[in-house]
Amino acid sequence: MGSVPCFIPDTLPYSIRVLFESSVRNCDGFLVKETDAMNILDWKTKQNHVEVPFCPARVVLQDFTGIPAMVDFAAMREAVRNAGGDPVKVNPACPTDLTVDHSLQIDFSKWPETVLKNQEMEFGRNRERLQFFKWSSKVFENISIIPPETGMAHQVNLEYLSRVVFDVKDFLHPDSVVGTDSHTTMVNGLGILGWGVGGIETEAVMLGMPVTLTLPEVVGCELTGTVSPFATSIDIVLSITKHLRQADVAGKFVEFFGSGVSQLSVADRTTIANMCPEYGAILSFFPVDNVTLKHLKYAGFDKAKLEVMEAYLKAVKLFRSDESSSREPEYSQVVQVSLSSIIPYVSGPKRSQDRVAVNNMKSDFQACLNEKSGVKGFQIAAEKQNDIVPVQYEGNEYKLSHGCVVIAAVISCTNNCNPSVMLAAGLLAKKAVEAGLTVKPYIRTSLSPGSGMVTHYLSSSGVLPYLSKLGFEVVGYGCSTCVGNTAPLPEAIRNAIKQGDIIACGVLSGTKNFEGRLCDCVRANYLASPPLVVAYAIAGTVRIDFDTEPLGTGFNGESIYLRDIWPTRQELHTVEEECVISSMFKELKEKMEKGNKRWNLLEAPESTLFPWDIKSTYIRCPSFFDKLVNMFYVFFPGRKFENAHVLLYLGDSVTTDHISPAGSIARSSAAAKYLTSKGLTPREFNSYGARRGNDAVMTRGTFANIKLLNKFIGKPAPKTIYFPSGQTLDVFEAAELYQKAGIPVIILAGKKYGLGSSRDWAAKGPFLLGVKAVLAESYEKVHRSQLIGIGIAPLQFRPGENPSTLGLTGREQFSIFFPPELSPRMTVEVKTSTGKVFSVIALFENNMEITLYKNGGSLNFVARRFL
């Protein structure tokens, strides 16, 4: 019936039990050995000391990271054919699902130019990509393409793809998953072990390779107490994020336990788990319990299936009991969070970890204006802090000032899996409209749910029309504002902001608020719960004290305060019970199975090899794959890598957004010049995310973020210095000259290099620019593994050292010396042209990473299996 390792000790964390079950089931003596299973079983003493393989049950891809993965598979078929192999053999070995419309570009944000028009525009401009996906679905085995106009990857994974327990010909085993998005962790809230890995690593898993990781520490997060009626799940998320950041859980598993866990719905749990990448953990696991089973019942799982699931999970000790007498596992450390202490917060204005209590928002923003430019400050002179810029818009005059809200977006990531916060936004909008409150017309408002299910319950509850009246139209399904795909601000508003040097604000219910991400002229961005997004849109400013200042004036001239329109917890529960029902899940599943008319009618080739169109600016056979196939070693052990110039000298918290932007393509960028040379107009540029299937665009887009702060330049700009001539050039142009001259390049960086969403192009792009190594103080875990997977050495300064302490200017040339044999976390010697000698740590965490690196990366290593 199933794998039943019933000798698992009760003290073993539930997440480690899943790893153990997988190792027992997949033990083949080669990729997974018996010693691996025994090491996992002995987790308490072996954590942090051994590497173990993990074979996930399935893989999830989303469009932006899925397109380069499938392009790589198509290119791999070409390479295998060219090398004399059989291209038909190139197929995913692990079941793989790819969601097409994870990301959404907003063109229309006001009714009636909303969902249908945005979907039509998306389908039109992305026809080449969609045809490629359709071809992939026809020719590759073991892959399922989720058609457009269905929902974003996290939501679809949660509502449709998740099994919790796999049943393969009456053989049961736990569901588990890896995905190309860092927010794959969302399914941890369902008791499914899963996390985001790099696109390169994901492709290896698709081809049957295990994920190799150092047996991690497991941090137990004990939840106690009860939640305040005014605190939403977002407040819980941000509070837990802060606690876990402070506990330094980077590179560790987090597992939740305690009396407070049972008070959280599955929607609450998935919301918390979805923020896992923001506090740096590998995953955040909620074991299956009675709350999970109740949710699955509403989700359409039949009674017999649930009974079998419950019996199996209890038999293999993967079911968490609510009984106080049950023994809790032993953890590496325990972090305690009292739910009773949580109050409403927002995060910003530039980083998700910078939390601000709502009742302190006004004073905190004032402090940001005063503070020196940096991670929070804007350094606005005292005499300019109360400046007002009048602006004419649609025949009326409005006044913009510091703190004015110009973007308010209820978007897909994090929140839309949780009906309570979305319904709270709708009920607040209803009460606001009934009281006579409005939103200023120049504010870019939008509602981009994660799936049609959200629209269903907002509509059936009767609140959707009220959101629409405040400007929050459903613009489509997928990531939009959060990845910089918002509709442009009105020109008059943009001009007023720039001319007055106004610190304008965006408020969104997502997970990313890096400066300049929403719009280049919106410098302050706050993450907030959906009802607070609506509230700040009504107020029109973040410089408001909700306790003492009204949102606006009602029909009768009376002042309306936030407390007057905030829905009670009982109201939310009542509406949720009536609207969040099994029919919504049923409707979504039917939609998945039927597809849509445009997709069904879309024609695509059926040839074994993809017919590449040399004129295409979307899909191109990647040049780096040729390089990888013909490369056996990136660095020959025992050889030195000499006289490299520094391409970029970066500071702390360089994100994957800085390295490989996902949003719009700036008209002055190298990518824009390339597209223009192909006959495209700026309106046809689309976004970097949409063009990830074209290596020529993505290489030119590498380090093209307008907010990139290169210390050589001294101000935000996608520029660097080409040292042989002293010219200041676009990063791509400088890298191109270095490569033509045969000069290798490296990158100097500070702490947390590669923070943010996992992106394979954040590694592929630097590789194509000629980057051989990155020297940083610390790395985001997923990005570090992606660098290794593409053949770039992640080198880390020794504790207490950095470029400044070592007296480095970045203008030197560097030579790096590798010993004859590579080993995990080995010491590597570096010499500079000025005579300095110092040591760094090569961040290979295990032998598998060394093997992949020595073989020129994951793709090269795996491709050889077909030859």
Side-chain angles (χ1 to χ4, degrees), residues 186-246:
M186 196 174 194
V187 295
N188 296 164
L190 270 178
I192 298 171
L193 198 74
W195 64 92
V197 296
I200 301 161
E201 191 174 7
T202 301
E203 291 175 42
V205 174
M206 291 168 67
L207 289 164
M209 298 289 291
V211 175
T212 302
L213 70 160
T214 301
L215 192 61
E217 295 180 38
V218 182
V219 177
C221 186
E222 183 178 16
L223 304 181
T224 60
T226 55
V227 184
S228 162
F230 289 100
T232 69
S233 63
I234 306 307
D235 301 314
I236 298 172
V237 169
L238 298 177
S239 179
I240 291 175
T241 296
K242 179 181 179 180
H243 280 86
L244 293 176
R245 275 188 181 277
Q246 292 174 340

Side-chain angles (χ1 to χ4, degrees), residues 645-646 711-712 721 723 748 808-814 833:
H645 271 295
V646 176
K711 293 185 179 182
F712 294 149
I721 297 175
F723 287 108
L748 294 182
L808 304 176
T809 66
R811 296 173 181 269
E812 309 91 340
Q813 287 182 276
F814 292 73
S833 55

Side-chain angles (χ1 to χ4, degrees), residues 486-507:
T486 188
L489 294 178
E491 187 174 354
I493 302 300
R494 288 176 61 90
N495 291 340
I497 292 172
K498 291 182 177 180
Q499 291 169 8
D501 194 25
I502 296 296
I503 306 298
C505 300
V507 186

Side-chain angles (χ1 to χ4, degrees), residues 701-761:
T702 303
F703 296 113
N705 191 306
I706 59 171
K707 295 298 181 181
L708 180 74
L709 184 56
N710 181 4
K711 293 185 179 182
F712 294 149
I713 304 301
K715 62 181 180 180
K719 303 283 186 179
T720 195
I721 297 175
Y722 178 62
F723 287 108
S725 67
Q727 294 171 278
T728 297
L729 301 171
D730 286 340
V731 176
F732 171 78
E733 293 172 345
E736 192 174 37
L737 290 176
Y738 280 124
Q739 292 194 76
K740 287 179 179 178
I743 301 172
V745 293
I746 63 172
I747 292 171
L748 294 182
K751 299 181 179 70
K752 299 179 181 178
Y753 181 78
L755 197 66
S757 304
S758 62
R759 290 183 187 158
D760 58 343
W761 270 110

Side-chain angles (χ1 to χ4, degrees), residues 6-204:
C6 56
F7 50 92
I8 296 176
D10 294 336
T11 56
L12 201 66
Y14 288 93
S15 52
I16 300 299
R17 299 179 198 184
V18 179
L19 289 182
F20 177 65
E21 187 281 336
S22 175
S23 68
V24 171
R25 177 166 40 86
N26 291 289
C27 186
D28 61 0
F30 177 58
L31 293 175
V32 183
K33 301 175 183 178
E34 183 178 342
T35 53
D36 295 321
M38 298 312 296
N39 282 335
I40 296 172
L41 192 62
D42 191 23
W43 166 82
K44 189 172 182 179
T45 59
K46 295 295 179 63
Q47 57 183 292
N48 280 336
H49 297 302
V50 297
E51 57 187 67
V52 295
F54 173 58
C55 298
R58 56 191 176 91
V59 169
V60 170
L61 307 174
Q62 46 102 321
D63 57 353
F64 273 13
T65 48
I67 188 76
M70 298 315 300
V71 166
D72 287 348
F73 265 73
M76 194 180 297
R77 281 195 166 193
E78 290 276 351
V80 169
R81 190 275 307 269
N82 294 339
D86 183 359
V88 176
K89 293 181 179 179
V90 180
N91 290 292
C94 183
T96 301
D97 300 290
L98 191 154
T99 302
V100 172
D101 61 352
H102 175 77
S103 304
L104 173 69
Q105 171 71 43
I106 300 175
D107 295 281
F108 305 100
S109 60
K110 298 293 183 181
W111 184 263
E113 299 174 323
T114 50
V115 179
L116 294 178
K117 287 194 174 184
N118 278 319
Q119 289 176 345
E120 185 177 342
M121 290 288 289
E122 283 285 281
F123 205 93
R125 67 169 147 252
N126 294 312
R127 178 173 293 275
E128 282 187 58
R129 291 198 309 141
L130 295 176
Q131 286 177 324
F132 177 78
F133 282 137
K134 194 76 176 280
W135 171 80
S136 299
S137 69
K138 290 181 176 182
V139 304
F140 288 112
E141 299 174 1
N142 223 10
I143 187 165
S144 174
I145 305 292
I146 307 301
E149 301 171 22
T150 302
M152 64 180 293
H154 320 314
Q155 201 78 21
V156 171
N157 190 18
L158 188 70
E159 298 170 4
Y160 180 69
L161 302 176
S162 294
R163 284 81 152 175
V164 183
V165 171
F166 260 77
D167 186 344
V168 182
K169 297 180 180 179
D170 292 332
F171 185 86
L172 305 179
H173 63 84
D175 189 2
S176 57
V177 61
V178 294
T180 51
D181 193 284
S182 57
H183 295 283
T184 302
T185 51
M186 196 174 194
V187 295
N188 296 164
L190 270 178
I192 298 171
L193 198 74
W195 64 92
V197 296
I200 301 161
E201 191 174 7
T202 301
E203 291 175 42

Side-chain angles (χ1 to χ4, degrees), residues 1 167 292-312 582 589:
M1 190 68 176
D167 186 344
T292 316
L293 295 180
K294 183 179 180 181
H295 169 84
L296 295 175
K297 178 182 177 181
Y298 283 114
F301 283 60
D302 62 60
K303 183 178 180 182
K305 186 173 183 178
L306 288 173
E307 288 176 349
V308 171
M309 182 186 297
E310 182 177 1
Y312 167 73
S582 59
K589 290 175 181 178

Side-chain angles (χ1 to χ4, degrees), residues 449-602:
S451 76
M453 173 180 166
V454 181
T455 306
H456 180 99
Y457 65 67
L458 290 176
S459 179
S460 62
S461 64
V463 299
L464 193 58
Y466 295 97
L467 285 164
S468 298
K469 287 181 180 179
L470 293 181
F472 291 93
E473 301 282 0
V474 178
V475 295
Y477 305 105
C479 285
S480 51
T481 305
C482 203
V483 293
N485 287 348
T486 188
L489 294 178
E491 187 174 354
I493 302 300
R494 288 176 61 90
N495 291 340
I497 292 172
K498 291 182 177 180
Q499 291 169 8
D501 194 25
I502 296 296
I503 306 298
C505 300
V507 186
L508 61 153
S509 59
T511 62
K512 302 290 191 303
N513 61 332
F514 307 128
E515 184 178 3
R517 183 163 186 159
L518 305 192
C519 177
D520 59 1
C521 66
V522 179
R523 295 160 62 185
N525 299 298
Y526 289 92
L527 306 180
S529 65
L532 281 176
V533 171
V534 177
Y536 278 113
I538 294 170
T541 180
V542 299
R543 298 175 82 175
I544 181 173
D545 183 339
F546 285 135
D547 290 335
T548 61
E549 298 176 65
L551 292 171
T553 303
F555 287 125
N556 300 320
E558 74 278 21
S559 295
I560 306 297
Y561 292 83
L562 181 60
R563 58 179 173 270
D564 299 326
I565 61 172
W566 191 272
T568 66
R569 185 166 291 271
Q570 184 57 49
E571 286 177 301
L572 287 174
H573 286 328
T574 300
V575 175
E576 191 171 349
E577 289 170 359
E578 294 175 355
C579 302
V580 185
I581 55 178
S582 59
S583 63
M584 293 182 297
F585 288 91
K586 182 180 178 180
E587 179 186 21
L588 178 62
K589 290 175 181 178
E590 290 175 351
K591 187 175 181 181
M592 297 279 193
E593 292 162 3
K594 291 192 304 183
N596 64 72
K597 185 177 180 180
R598 281 192 287 259
W599 173 260
N600 293 339
L601 294 176
L602 184 67

